[in-house]
Amino acid sequence: MTTPAAEFIDRTLRAEASEWRADADAERIGGGLRFYGASVGAIRGTVRDAGRRHPGMTHDEVTALAAELWSQPVYERRLAAIVLLQRHVGMLRSSDLTRVEQFLRDARVAELVDPLATDVVRPLLAAMGGAEATRARQVVARWAVAADPQLRRAASML
């Protein structure tokens, strides 16, 4: 099932697409992802506009939308999911690290791992305290020695 917010984001990203940019990004980034060819500015603007169309999203709505966008191996959709999480990082919880870990495992390319680690996980960790911070540090320590290179890369940036 596609939510109205995800449908709006996907439709807008496709409308902002450039075949030339899609080909160039596919060659430069690769990773077995599909590319629409929308610019980073268009992705950020689309997520901002989606927020205006769907104001007051709850934590669960934000994380579900991020998961819905991430569910297809399309670079722009996944980057939109990261931008969405960046915009709402203040409402994220330590329990969201499980979802973020799955995103990292499935990211395929550094161009998605890096902003997810530095712009979502890092501020999320910085906002934690007490037992929650201890548990989160244990998760990141596990990432640092994981077999998955994407998790190790993310941990090295935190």
Side-chain angles (χ1 to χ4, degrees), residues 88-156:
H88 297 282
V89 73
M91 69 170 47
L92 297 180
R93 307 174 187 141
S94 61
S95 60
D96 294 319
L97 283 174
T98 303
R99 184 182 311 264
V100 171
E101 179 175 332
Q102 188 55 47
F103 288 176
L104 288 166
R105 289 180 183 279
D106 195 33
R108 303 182 186 186
V109 295
E111 289 81 356
L112 294 172
V113 171
D114 295 0
L116 195 52
T118 59
D119 300 335
V120 177
V121 177
R122 186 183 292 160
L124 174 59
L125 295 175
M128 291 180 192
E132 183 181 53
T134 301
R135 282 191 302 276
R137 282 193 301 272
Q138 290 170 341
V139 169
V140 172
R142 182 175 46 77
W143 292 357
V145 296
D148 188 308
Q150 308 299 6
L151 291 178
R152 289 194 313 271
R153 180 180 180 93
S156 74

Side-chain angles (χ1 to χ4, degrees), residues 56-106:
M57 283 194 290
T58 67
H59 166 270
D60 291 350
E61 290 168 332
V62 167
T63 56
L65 177 55
E68 186 174 359
L69 291 168
W70 197 274
S71 69
Q72 294 185 27
V74 177
Y75 175 77
E76 291 85 353
R77 285 176 60 106
R78 290 183 172 191
L79 192 54
I82 294 169
V83 170
L84 177 70
L85 293 174
Q86 289 171 340
R87 291 178 59 88
H88 297 282
V89 73
M91 69 170 47
L92 297 180
R93 307 174 187 141
S94 61
S95 60
D96 294 319
L97 283 174
T98 303
R99 184 182 311 264
V100 171
E101 179 175 332
Q102 188 55 47
F103 288 176
L104 288 166
R105 289 180 183 279
D106 195 33

Side-chain angles (χ1 to χ4, degrees), residues 35-46:
F35 294 83
Y36 290 163
S39 70
V40 172
I43 294 166
R44 289 190 177 283
T46 298

